Amino acid sequence: MEEQIAALTEQVAALQSSAGVTNTMVAEMFYYLTIPLMVIIHAGFLAYEMGASRAKNVLASGIKNILAFAYVLPAFFFIGWWIYWAMPTGLPTTDAAFALPWSESMGPFLGDNSSGVFWGAFALFAATTASIFSGAVIERIQTTSFIILAVFLGAVAWVVAASWGWHADGWLVTNFGYHDFGAAGVVHTVAGFFALGVLINLGPRIGKFNADGSANHIGGHNMPFTVTGLMLIIVGFWGFLMACAIFPGEGWSWFSNNFGTIYGTPTNLSALAFNILMAFAGGIIGAWVITRDPFWMMSGALAGIIAGAAGLDVYWPPLTFLVAMAGGMLLKPAASVLERFGIDDAVGAVTVHGTIGVFGLLMFGIWGAGYPALQGEGVATVNFFGQLIGAVVCILLGLVPGYVISLILKMLGMLRVGEAAELAGLDPTKVPAQAYPEGITPSEPASS
């Protein structure tokens, strides 16, 4: 009898070990797949911004996007990852040596197999912040200055916000009950207001504003390309929001064996499936009601997801739809207000990501009030004041460095291309290639 019990115990232990290995492998694959999905975000931004550029600036806008991706990733490896783990309480700690670039955990052949994959998901978040900023400044910023700004945003500014508000030990979370599941604040608000800080110093494109302050519409050369790019960004957002969740498995879920958020609170893939799709639809409808413009409709889809992002883990789907629809309806009026202040945001990035990011944080402060901000007994709970504090912090972490660094670059004469180059176009003056070597043929009128 004892031998049978011992044999059964061994079998159970073997099954548990096998299940643990399987679960860990599934968890690793879960995050591994978020990375190429998030690369689709950048394919979308590439198409979106090139389509929104005039024909004379198409390749210059594309090059800027490609370089942002290329420079931010190594910058995040060398400094950004360490900042995230070192600064949740506000000041750097000595507990994050594992995230330094020379650490063993930052290389291959590791026992847990997870560090590089999880780093990769975060690195794509970093690259996304640079792409958000990129669209706002097309057709007039110097490439070198853009790279400097993008690297600081992607490897420092948003990472500090994430460490403070997107980490279970972050002081915004533990002290104020800040909750931001889908990074409406720590990614979108920071990037949107960083772009605003730069735009203040960069100035509008030549011909955007008249002497009386009224604005002229400067359309891109390919609206279908732009709208398709926005749809690709939505596709990539499935990977972005997947990576906002913590999958159970050794080396992944440091809170419990349950699927949950970065704060350790519970959620599941059903919540994401319901709420992402409802936010997508609500944002489009809200923008359509106000504008009937396909550009703003697809921007509304993105705004709808950002409006609901902070609470996608817990919102009831009809509420997500209504919050997203409100975000879509706010979009164009908010962009018009910004334009009246003389800000030329070429693609509406400040509004879509910054304004709507703040709106989403505050909405969750109302509708999510009382929900535990993180796992445990006696923890801080979500409240409007906490979400407001988090929003202000994210605004400042974007706006201040964006303004200060761009002001320094402007003083050095590095921020903006010369007037002659801008008028002629950045492609013929800065790019050793042609987007349309045979020209763009206008549509011929139908014969009578």
Side-chain angles (χ1 to χ4, degrees), residues 297-392:
M297 287 166 62
M298 280 311 304
S299 295
L302 187 54
I305 293 175
I306 295 168
L312 287 177
D313 52 327
V314 295
Y315 274 149
W316 190 248
L319 178 57
T320 303
F321 178 80
L322 293 175
V323 169
M325 188 164 67
M329 294 176 73
L330 282 172
L331 197 54
K332 183 60 169 65
S336 298
V337 169
L338 189 67
E339 197 171 76
R340 284 198 287 273
F341 281 94
I343 300 296
D344 178 16
D345 180 359
V347 298
V350 175
T351 303
V352 174
H353 301 275
T355 304
I356 302 303
V358 171
F359 172 75
L361 291 177
L362 299 183
M363 284 296 97
F364 192 65
I366 295 171
W367 301 111
Y371 184 79
L374 65 163
Q375 187 188 51
E377 296 292 333
V379 297
T381 57
V382 174
N383 61 90
F384 185 83
F385 180 71
Q387 295 298 98
L388 177 61
I389 291 292
V392 171

Side-chain angles (χ1 to χ4, degrees), residues 418-437:
E419 181 178 347
E422 184 177 347
L423 289 171
L426 302 187
D427 283 10
T429 58
K430 304 289 185 181
V431 181
Q434 291 179 276
Y436 304 103

Side-chain angles (χ1 to χ4, degrees), residues 43-289:
F45 273 115
L46 190 65
Y48 168 38
E49 292 175 27
M50 288 196 295
S53 299
R54 287 166 288 183
K56 63 182 181 179
N57 297 313
V58 172
L59 293 181
S61 294
I63 286 172
K64 185 163 54 59
N65 251 283
I66 295 166
L67 288 176
F69 192 79
Y71 275 94
V72 168
L73 294 180
F76 188 76
F77 179 89
F78 286 113
I79 188 171
W81 194 227
W82 175 83
I83 290 173
Y84 176 75
W85 293 105
M87 296 188 63
T89 60
L91 296 174
T93 69
T94 58
D95 298 332
F98 66 89
L100 290 167
W102 52 81
S103 167
E104 289 183 1
S105 65
M106 298 297 283
F109 309 115
L110 303 173
D112 64 7
N113 298 322
S114 63
S115 297
V117 182
F118 203 48
W119 169 85
F122 265 74
L124 267 293
F125 289 132
T128 298
T129 63
S131 287
I132 291 168
F133 154 61
S134 175
V137 297
I138 57 173
E139 301 196 309
R140 63 218 192 265
I141 195 168
Q142 288 200 39
T143 302
T144 301
S145 290
F146 170 76
I147 292 170
I148 292 169
L149 290 160
V151 165
F152 189 89
L153 172 60
V156 180
W158 93 272
V159 193
V160 173
S163 186
W164 291 352
W166 214 39
H167 187 299
D169 295 327
W171 65 268
L172 284 173
V173 182
T174 57
N175 295 337
F176 294 99
Y178 179 78
H179 186 91
D180 186 15
F181 169 77
V186 301
V187 168
H188 297 285
T189 300
V190 172
F193 280 90
F194 187 94
L196 177 59
V198 175
L199 287 172
I200 292 169
N201 290 310
L202 182 63
R205 289 167 290 177
I206 295 172
K208 176 63 180 178
F209 293 104
N210 301 311
D212 63 358
S214 59
N216 299 308
H217 174 66
I218 300 179
H221 82 292
N222 193 329
M223 177 65 78
F225 206 40
T226 295
V227 173
T228 302
L230 284 162
M231 182 63 84
L232 286 173
I233 294 171
I234 299 297
V235 174
F237 250 75
W238 286 89
F240 183 102
L241 294 164
M242 280 173 63
C244 294
I246 303 297
F247 197 99
E250 183 181 351
W252 295 103
S253 182
W254 44 89
F255 305 107
S256 68
N257 291 321
N258 299 317
F259 194 89
T261 71
I262 205 136
Y263 307 107
T265 53
T267 191
N268 53 56
L269 290 179
S270 286
L272 300 189
F274 278 129
N275 285 325
I276 294 171
L277 290 174
M278 292 294 274
F280 172 72
I284 291 175
I285 292 171
W288 176 76
V289 166

